[in-house]
Amino acid sequence: MSALRTIFLLPTSSISPFPPSSSPGHCYPAKLAISCCSATSHERNEVRLGLPSKGRMATDTLDLLKDCQLSVRQVNPRQYVAEIPQISNLEVWFQRPKDIVRKLISGDLDLGIVGLDTVSEYGQGSEDLILVHDNLNYGDCRLSLAIPKYGIFENINSLEELARMPQWTPERPLRVATGFTYLGPRFMEENGLKHVTFSTADGALEAAPAMGIADAIVDLVSSGTTLRENNLKEIEGGIILESQAVFVASKRSLIQRKGVLDVTHEMIERLEAHLRADDQFTLTANMRGRNAEEVAERILSQTSLSGLQGPTVSPVFCKRDGKVAVEIYAIVICVPKKALYKSVQQLRAIGGSGVLISPLTYIFDEETPRWRQLLSKLGL
């Protein structure tokens, strides 16, 4: 555990995670003015996309892009810049997640894929950050307050109970260790916990309470196993943020920089089409019937067989006594993965046979809803 830096939470102001170079008693402002070496000081023609440089988030992001036929080509694995050949004029920059957010704000990047927790912590409510896609289906976790299971916390199971504990005074505040020094203090202040100090530390925060460095922690939680193994527990009302991977953009770049909106449109289309198809299967079967309408009526009588917009019913032609006849109809529907077996059972119950099941790769809508939402946010 590295040295800790303490930030005092005052009931009348929010806390910025980075103190100024003035005295320790300074009252920090609510927002941080992020300063980077901005690329806006000179013209560039390329659109820049920031991706996580390492870890599980980096691997899952590259896998998602590959599934969307947007494979990233990196000539030299030691270089920070790469390309996506399917999209011309796009540069990929591998960066730390927090640096992606900072460089979106500064103008050094135009687009990025990071966790929502990172956007919220380091973006700090910046009006220039805009969520293009808020549900990329990986990187699921939650930012939570956790306290020990033992000692004075043994019977404390909610944020309300924690706030009412008489132990916390101006002289002896609740000590919280966290790397989220913007979201943590803001959450405490919004929930009425006045006597709190925050300490930042790198490394395993779960050890801080046992070492006596902190009373509680605010950290990212996935399964909760690490908390349990360190005798810590989450409490009711203590979830600060539900997070997963998101596609985020600089609003300024979308409006002002040539090509950014077009690249964003194509990426939204590909992402949305793949993510929508990822939870669906195509179901094909044969069914006897007098005509297509009668077969369709039987199918639509079953709740799991309505498909995206309804079933496709096509005649299967055969020869009977030297004449072309139709006795069987082929049906094609899309069914959700979670309802697959139920759909097969319902199909059999109404006379379906020869059921074939195929995974889907893409489902393209007439127009992607998230694209319309983005244009609305931009006032376009």
Side-chain angles (χ1 to χ4, degrees):
M1 181 73 68
S2 63
L4 292 125
R5 173 167 54 83
T6 300
I7 299 173
F8 289 91
L9 177 64
L10 303 179
T12 56
S13 64
S14 297
I15 304 301
S16 170
F18 300 97
S21 57
S22 58
S23 65
H26 185 85
C27 180
Y28 307 146
K31 292 191 177 181
L32 171 69
I34 300 174
S35 176
C36 294
C37 180
S38 176
T40 55
S41 59
H42 66 274
E43 289 298 324
R44 60 176 169 86
N45 297 317
E46 302 82 11
V47 177
R48 290 180 175 175
L49 168 68
L51 298 182
S53 56
K54 60 179 66 175
R56 180 65 181 271
M57 180 70 77
T59 301
D60 289 348
T61 299
L62 293 177
D63 288 344
L64 173 63
L65 292 174
K66 183 178 180 180
D67 289 340
C68 297
Q69 302 297 310
L70 293 174
S71 294
V72 176
R73 185 170 69 185
Q74 191 176 16
V75 177
N76 184 342
R78 294 182 179 273
Q79 291 180 334
Y80 291 104
V81 65
E83 64 176 357
I84 297 178
Q86 290 83 358
I87 302 181
S88 60
N89 204 40
L90 177 66
E91 288 183 348
V92 174
W93 287 82
F94 292 103
Q95 302 281 295
R96 296 184 301 175
K98 63 183 179 181
D99 290 336
I100 291 175
V101 176
R102 289 171 176 167
K103 290 175 181 178
L104 283 168
I105 295 174
S106 70
D108 294 295
L109 293 173
D110 306 304
L111 307 168
I113 295 179
V114 290
L116 179 60
D117 58 289
T118 306
V119 175
S120 302
E121 173 68 18
Y122 295 96
Q124 300 185 15
S126 170
E127 294 181 357
D128 190 51
L129 292 178
I130 187 167
L131 290 183
V132 178
H133 200 301
D134 61 355
N135 187 5
L136 295 181
N137 283 355
Y138 67 95
D140 290 1
C141 60
R142 58 191 178 274
L143 182 62
S144 281
L145 172 68
I147 60 176
K149 296 178 179 179
Y150 49 84
I152 62 173
F153 299 101
E154 184 175 2
N155 297 316
I156 302 301
N157 296 301
S158 71
L159 186 65
E160 184 179 354
E161 291 173 349
L162 180 67
R164 290 203 308 261
M165 291 179 70
Q167 285 87 346
W168 319 131
T169 66
E171 294 74 26
R172 174 56 174 95
L174 175 70
R175 300 167 303 158
V176 181
T178 187
F180 289 84
T181 50
Y182 172 74
L183 293 176
R186 190 183 70 171
F187 175 79
M188 291 295 197
E189 186 175 7
E190 288 175 349
N191 285 277
L193 282 88
K194 298 180 179 180
H195 307 306
V196 185
T197 60
F198 279 80
S199 299
T200 61
D202 296 324
L205 292 178
E206 292 83 3
M211 294 178 69
I213 298 172
D215 302 303
I217 68 170
V218 167
D219 202 8
L220 293 176
V221 179
S222 295
S223 65
T225 301
T226 305
L227 289 181
R228 290 190 293 272
E229 289 177 347
N230 286 275
N231 290 316
L232 298 175
K233 61 184 178 182
E234 295 177 89
I235 58 177
E236 182 183 345
I239 296 179
I240 298 170
L241 178 72
E242 297 279 1
S243 179
Q244 64 175 306
V246 297
F247 182 26
V248 63
S250 161
K251 185 175 182 179
R252 184 172 59 238
S253 290
L254 288 170
I255 295 173
Q256 298 178 2
R257 188 173 293 282
K258 182 180 178 181
V260 176
L261 200 58
D262 291 335
V263 170
T264 303
H265 187 197
E266 180 170 348
M267 289 190 67
I268 291 177
E269 289 265 318
R270 289 175 179 263
L271 288 167
E272 189 78 344
H274 170 67
L275 291 171
R276 190 175 182 199
D278 193 46
D279 192 42
Q280 298 280 335
F281 281 91
T282 299
L283 190 152
T284 306
N286 290 332
M287 188 176 295
R288 293 184 179 276
R290 293 189 300 273
N291 53 56
E293 289 76 13
E294 187 262 337
V295 170
E297 187 173 338
R298 266 191 285 160
I299 295 170
L300 291 172
S301 69
Q302 305 298 310
T303 57
S304 294
L305 302 180
S306 58
L308 295 177
Q309 295 175 320
T312 298
V313 181
S314 305
V316 177
F317 297 96
C318 62
K319 270 198 169 184
R320 287 285 183 269
D321 301 325
K323 295 182 179 180
V324 175
V326 175
E327 298 176 354
I328 296 174
Y329 290 84
I331 64 166
V332 180
I333 57 173
C334 290
V335 298
K337 186 183 297 185
K338 61 184 179 181
L340 181 60
Y341 186 64
K342 180 181 178 181
S343 299
V344 172
Q345 288 179 309
Q346 288 187 344
L347 190 58
R348 286 171 172 169
I350 58 174
S353 63
V355 181
L356 302 177
I357 298 169
S358 305
L360 284 168
T361 305
Y362 300 104
I363 299 176
F364 284 96
D365 280 316
E366 188 173 340
E367 186 177 55
T368 305
R370 279 188 170 85
W371 173 245
R372 294 196 299 268
Q373 293 169 10
L374 177 61
L375 293 181
S376 177
K377 290 177 184 178
L378 297 174
L380 299 177

